[in-house]
Amino acid sequence: MVRAGFAPVKGTRHQAYDAVTLSPRGPVGDRAWCLVDVEQRRVLRTVQHPSLVAVSAVPSPDGLAISLPSGAVASGPVLPRGESLTCDYWGRPVALDLLDGPHSALLSSHLGKPVRLAAAPPGGVVYAGAVTLVATGTLRELASRTGLPMADLAARFRPTFVVDADEPHAEDSWVGDEVDLGPARVRITSRVPRCAVVDLDPVTGKRGSRVLAALAAYRPRDVGTGDLLLGVDAEVVVPGTVAVDRTA
């Protein structure tokens, strides 16, 4: 395992960690929070709010720390209000708990619209598989075609784990298999469709690269959906803590 990570607040910067603990529902802490347009009763999505990518969200000893590119910070406890709101997330309802704290005001200012921070149930605002894997060979191939560093590409594609495997797109052949990740084990369920979000700079959130076009130049689209695919989704079979091998 050469990289592990997730975003504590849905849509914000994908954070790298030394280890990720997998529960039966997926990575502990992954998208534990999200932002809500209360008036529209919708969970904010990166594809519609790309500037979310520029927001760094990190759990802190007293709750949650939010940092903006401007240097503005909101840090403090995330306190339940005892108010639940059912919102739409990709066409399905999800019950969320609205939270008090300093974060919502700062994020509303950044996004230019009123939003509220909310607590999500495990897997509640996860689009597809609980766990996503990408092989190092896949990132190396795409790096050679885009000129972007592998670390940059890993942050753009936002996999839970980058697995050391030399063959480009080796993970495609894992669908249907179980894969050991240290003490944990996952079952690979499907390949992952990709959209223009991967063209956002993983630090600034600005568009400018042509990663999706580079992928389209050599990867066939899915016959059934027409999607471009990279990486695989998985479900947890055996929970455990997966550590990054810093010697790899």
Side-chain angles (χ1 to χ4, degrees):
M1 197 65 50
V2 300
R3 187 184 191 276
F6 57 80
V9 177
K10 178 173 177 58
T12 60
R13 186 176 306 161
H14 198 257
Q15 305 287 350
Y17 295 98
D18 290 334
V20 169
T21 297
L22 296 182
S23 76
R25 299 292 299 274
V28 175
D30 182 26
R31 288 163 280 191
W33 297 289
C34 64
L35 294 172
V36 173
D37 181 327
V38 174
E39 183 177 342
Q40 297 293 322
R41 290 179 173 259
R42 290 187 181 278
V43 176
L44 268 62
R45 301 181 297 187
T46 314
V47 67
Q48 292 152 336
H49 302 278
S51 62
L52 273 176
V53 172
V55 176
S56 176
V58 180
S60 63
D62 63 346
L64 178 68
I66 297 286
S67 303
L68 301 185
S70 65
V73 175
S75 182
V78 282
L79 303 173
R81 296 182 45 144
E83 182 182 353
S84 181
L85 187 71
T86 299
C87 294
D88 175 80
Y89 177 66
W90 287 104
R92 61 176 171 84
V94 57
L96 305 168
D97 293 323
L98 297 182
L99 301 169
D100 277 332
H103 314 90
S104 295
L106 182 65
L107 290 164
S108 296
S109 174
H110 176 67
L111 293 167
K113 64 180 296 180
V115 297
R116 289 290 302 280
L117 186 68
V125 291
V126 176
Y127 179 72
V131 177
T132 306
L133 307 180
V134 172
T136 52
T138 301
L139 297 178
R140 190 173 294 111
E141 175 68 23
L142 200 53
S144 72
R145 294 172 178 270
T146 61
L148 294 171
M150 289 174 60
D152 176 282
L153 290 167
R156 289 171 185 269
F157 285 99
R158 304 167 73 92
T160 317
F161 300 111
V162 177
V163 181
D164 193 14
D166 288 339
E167 182 184 348
H169 304 284
E171 63 270 35
D172 289 355
S173 65
W174 303 343
V175 175
D177 294 340
E178 293 188 1
V179 175
D180 288 328
L181 303 173
R185 181 181 301 161
V186 298
R187 180 181 296 110
I188 310 300
T189 57
S190 60
R191 295 188 292 166
V192 182
R194 299 299 183 173
C195 66
V197 168
V198 300
D199 284 332
L200 301 177
D201 185 284
V203 174
T204 67
K206 294 180 180 179
R207 295 193 188 277
S209 69
R210 291 178 53 80
V211 174
L212 199 66
L215 185 63
Y218 79 101
R219 285 280 281 175
R221 292 181 179 270
D222 182 76
V223 175
T225 64
D227 291 326
L228 287 168
L229 306 172
L230 185 142
V232 290
D233 278 333
E235 58 188 17
V236 178
V237 177
V238 178
T241 297
V242 183
V244 173
D245 181 2
R246 296 300 180 188
T247 66

